[in-house]
Amino acid sequence: MSSRRFTAEEALLLFFDSDAEEEISEIEDLSDAVDNVIDDPDFQFSDDEEDSEDESTVVSPSDENLGMEQSSSTEGTWASKDGNIKWSTSPHQSRGRLSSSNIIKMTPGPTRFAVTRVDDIQSAFQLFISQPIERIILDMTNLEGRRVFQEKWKSLDQTDLNAYIGILILAGVYRSKGEATSSLWNEENGRPIFRATMSLETFHMISRVIRFDNRDTRVGRRESDKLAAIRDVWDKWVEILPLLYNPGPHVTVDERLVPFRGRCPFRQYMPNKPAKYGIKIWAACDAKSSYAWKMQVYTGKLPGGAPEKNQGMRVVLEMSEGLQGHNITCDNFFTSYRLGEELQKRKLTMLGTVRRNKPELPSEILKIQGRPMHSSIFAFTEKATVVSYCPKRNKNVLVMSTMHTDASLSTRDDMKPQMILDYNSTKGGVDNLDKVTATYSCQRKTARWPMAIFFNIVDVSAYNAYVLWSEINQEWKASKLYRRRLFLEELGKALITPKIQRRARPARSPAAAAVIEKIKFRPSSQSAMDP
């Protein structure tokens, strides 16, 4: 349906003439006001997050159509609660329909560096798990293996490590995240491809000793860096992410929770997340493809350190480094007027829900008593626009934007403004990444938090590789509805094929022997592409 701008008088006529009094679906609170830092073991909220209860609600991702009507308040000015900002009830004439900052200079999609290096599915994945990362893992794992198993340990090489990762990916494809590892190798109920790749004993030995740093020097490094056990691998990995993909005009900044209930000095309790306990990661993702463009592990404050202030603003500014002309969509943990100003200095705009207790808001926009359902009130400055929308009686949603400069409304019966439409369409980049990585996660049960982060690195790398591959080869499996599962299955088979081809001993079970016979004497690329 086409949309146009309404005057306040036209909006009122449409609202009061409409007999569509249907009940709107319950608004989902994505504020995540409680969904933030609670350091284990005390599980106490930090001062930075102990704001008053967030009463604003956010539109559910499944309900893309919230109605709005522009208020008929007369032209004037309102002062913010702290008295530092003057808000106007009418748009500033000097500003256009959208901010002039939204002019991106990079071409969205895979970079030239990625396009020239992606030859097949395995090469796309190994752009993320690169040779420097593999070398660190192999050196540290062999060091630990010799210390634990002594003469019994056989040094791993790149083929062994790829086979181990391939088994993890295939286990995720077969949805066996919660299944006992021994059942995967079971001769009756397991999958022959696991037994054809390596023995269960070998898999357990690698899982026991796989390391990402030298444990002999870890104590000194851990005093100043809680992530010391996997810091080198993590830093090299996150450096690669922005080099391979340029995000589109909208980037989502949010938090993720990697499930983990073991001992960890920076484990978080986030009651609004499905896993509730785990490792918190700040993430910036492309709003359309959910490509993970930048990530940062939250390790909490150092022992004896003061709680961090303005954490939300610091995270968004760090996550958006390297971007220009983009819009940053975030929730009300991050959104503030000052953040919008800082982003504008970098030629970036901001769009997000905002908490009611922010001092930069005028008191007039918070009033909900007596306001009709689907009504809205706009307020403007030269830098930002804020709207208060009533999805139902005595309830309102607050959205702030430096991208939108007017009070344009849609022609829907519920009169939803463009600000809410744009927020709904761009807020789910990180949430969708959580969803797709959880569907075929390679995560196994572990008591070591570095392994939980490593499993997440493999999951995100596999998804990012899928985004690269599908955008470079848009015709690949285009008619299939489960392209990503096919991609992961072919990736897993490609990683384990060299290990199977050099296997010297025959398999004991007939099924595993048949798999070896099928793969052993064929090229790796061909066997990987077979179903």
Side-chain angles (χ1 to χ4, degrees), residues 99-159:
S99 173
S100 59
S101 300
N102 295 107
I103 302 175
I104 58 176
K105 297 183 179 180
M106 59 178 64
T107 303
T111 63
R112 184 178 302 176
F113 177 86
V115 172
T116 57
R117 286 163 175 79
V118 174
D119 300 320
D120 52 27
I121 288 177
Q122 183 177 352
S123 63
F125 176 76
Q126 290 182 328
L127 285 177
F128 299 94
I129 309 297
S130 59
Q131 289 188 357
I133 292 176
E134 289 181 337
R135 179 49 52 196
I136 293 175
I137 297 175
L138 287 172
D139 290 345
M140 297 301 104
T141 301
N142 285 326
L143 183 65
E144 182 71 9
R146 288 189 292 269
R147 189 188 70 83
V148 175
F149 296 106
Q150 299 178 0
E151 294 82 4
K152 187 179 179 181
W153 176 255
K154 295 181 180 180
S155 294
L156 300 182
D157 58 14
Q158 186 179 22
T159 300

Side-chain angles (χ1 to χ4, degrees), residues 132-401:
I133 292 176
E134 289 181 337
R135 179 49 52 196
I136 293 175
I137 297 175
L138 287 172
D139 290 345
M140 297 301 104
T141 301
N142 285 326
L143 183 65
E144 182 71 9
R146 288 189 292 269
R147 189 188 70 83
V148 175
F149 296 106
Q150 299 178 0
E151 294 82 4
K152 187 179 179 181
W153 176 255
K154 295 181 180 180
S155 294
L156 300 182
D157 58 14
Q158 186 179 22
T159 300
D160 297 316
L161 180 60
N162 286 343
Y164 179 78
I165 295 175
I167 286 178
L168 293 176
I169 292 174
L170 288 175
V173 171
Y174 302 142
R175 302 289 192 93
S176 59
K177 180 175 67 171
E179 186 178 355
T181 305
S182 58
S183 68
L184 299 178
W185 269 261
N186 186 275
E187 188 170 350
E188 295 181 1
N189 304 320
R191 299 259 181 177
I193 197 167
F194 294 114
R195 298 193 301 276
T197 305
M198 65 176 64
S199 66
L200 178 60
E201 181 184 6
T202 301
F203 182 84
H204 280 159
M205 288 177 65
I206 297 175
S207 298
R208 178 180 175 182
V209 302
I210 188 170
R211 292 293 186 275
F212 315 98
D213 76 323
N214 188 345
R215 63 182 300 174
D216 295 333
T217 63
R218 185 186 303 165
V219 176
R221 290 180 286 110
R222 193 167 51 192
E223 293 180 357
S224 59
D225 182 13
K226 294 181 182 179
L227 203 66
I230 197 173
R231 170 63 70 184
D232 291 342
V233 170
W234 177 265
D235 285 348
K236 289 183 181 298
W237 181 68
V238 296
E239 286 175 4
I240 297 171
L241 300 180
L243 301 178
L244 303 176
Y245 192 88
N246 294 328
H250 296 279
V251 175
T252 308
V253 175
D254 207 345
E255 58 197 9
R256 306 179 64 235
L257 186 71
V258 176
F260 183 72
R261 285 180 172 264
R263 294 177 60 184
C264 177
F266 47 89
R267 186 184 68 168
Q268 303 295 303
Y269 172 61
M270 299 170 66
N272 289 347
K273 295 290 186 181
K276 299 189 184 304
Y277 293 89
I279 298 169
K280 181 168 158 180
I281 297 179
W282 307 113
C285 296
D286 178 68
K288 182 179 179 181
S289 67
S290 292
Y291 178 93
W293 192 75
K294 191 170 287 189
M295 286 192 172
Q296 183 182 102
V297 177
Y298 175 71
T299 57
K301 62 182 181 180
L302 292 174
E308 182 180 6
K309 295 183 178 181
N310 298 320
Q311 184 185 72
M313 184 172 70
R314 190 267 304 169
V315 169
V316 173
L317 293 178
E318 290 184 359
M319 292 290 102
S320 61
E321 287 182 2
L323 298 176
Q324 184 174 346
H326 296 77
N327 175 70
I328 308 298
T329 301
C330 50
D331 64 25
N332 62 16
F333 175 72
F334 306 95
T335 307
S336 67
Y337 191 86
R338 185 182 169 193
L339 173 61
E341 290 181 317
E342 293 298 322
L343 289 175
Q344 284 180 325
K345 296 177 182 178
R346 304 184 180 187
K347 300 185 183 299
L348 299 170
T349 59
M350 176 197 71
L351 174 63
T353 52
V354 60
R355 293 177 176 175
R356 294 172 54 87
N357 59 3
K358 290 293 184 180
E360 58 261 33
L361 296 178
S363 300
E364 290 81 357
I365 208 169
L366 305 178
K367 298 176 182 178
I368 57 176
Q369 294 296 329
R371 286 181 55 185
M373 188 172 63
H374 298 167
S375 65
S376 62
I377 299 176
F378 289 86
F380 308 88
T381 68
E382 292 183 356
K383 298 180 179 179
T385 301
V386 66
V387 62
S388 170
Y389 166 69
C390 286
K392 58 197 303 183
R393 300 188 189 278
N394 298 325
K395 203 169 186 82
N396 72 335
V397 179
L398 299 173
V399 176
M400 183 181 292
S401 173

Side-chain angles (χ1 to χ4, degrees), residues 13-24 67-69 372-375 389 391 393 411-415:
L13 287 175
L14 283 173
F15 175 77
F16 288 110
D17 288 344
S18 173
D19 58 345
E21 288 286 329
E22 62 186 31
E23 193 69 82
I24 193 168
M68 280 196 173
E69 174 202 352
M373 188 172 63
H374 298 167
S375 65
Y389 166 69
R393 300 188 189 278
T411 56
R412 307 173 66 93
D413 291 339
D414 46 20
M415 304 291 292

Side-chain angles (χ1 to χ4, degrees), residues 48 63 145 167 172 198 296 344 454 460 466 472 476 494 525 530-531:
D48 191 45
D63 184 9
I167 286 178
M198 65 176 64
Q296 183 182 102
Q344 284 180 325
F454 174 69
V460 175
Y466 167 72
I472 294 173
W476 181 80
S525 58
D530 288 343

